[in-house]
Amino acid sequence: MIKPMFGHRPKPKKFNMPLRYYNPEKEEKRKRKISIKMRRKRPKQGAQVFIYAIGLAIVVWVISVL
């Protein structure tokens, strides 16, 4: 806060990006790995929602019977 009053100007931050070479085999493996992970998550989530729905229906039924 005091530095700007004495003529100090902030310097831009240095950015040193490492060089990255394109490797088609590595990119294809990465895409395949990502797509497989996404496919596995969907059935688990659907089953979990189904179990919660059944549990909620049982609780509502028990409450209505009493």
Side-chain angles (χ1 to χ4, degrees), residues 24-65:
E25 294 174 1
K26 189 175 180 181
E27 292 293 323
E28 186 178 331
K29 287 180 184 178
R30 197 176 113 233
K31 286 181 184 178
R32 203 176 316 132
K33 192 183 277 187
I34 291 172
S35 65
I36 290 171
K37 286 182 182 177
M38 294 179 82
R39 288 181 190 160
R40 289 182 184 168
K41 287 184 180 180
R42 289 180 185 161
K44 289 181 182 177
Q45 186 179 10
Q48 190 176 15
V49 170
F50 185 69
I51 291 170
Y52 283 131
I54 290 174
L56 182 62
I58 291 171
V59 170
V60 169
W61 180 75
V62 167
I63 291 173
S64 66
V65 170

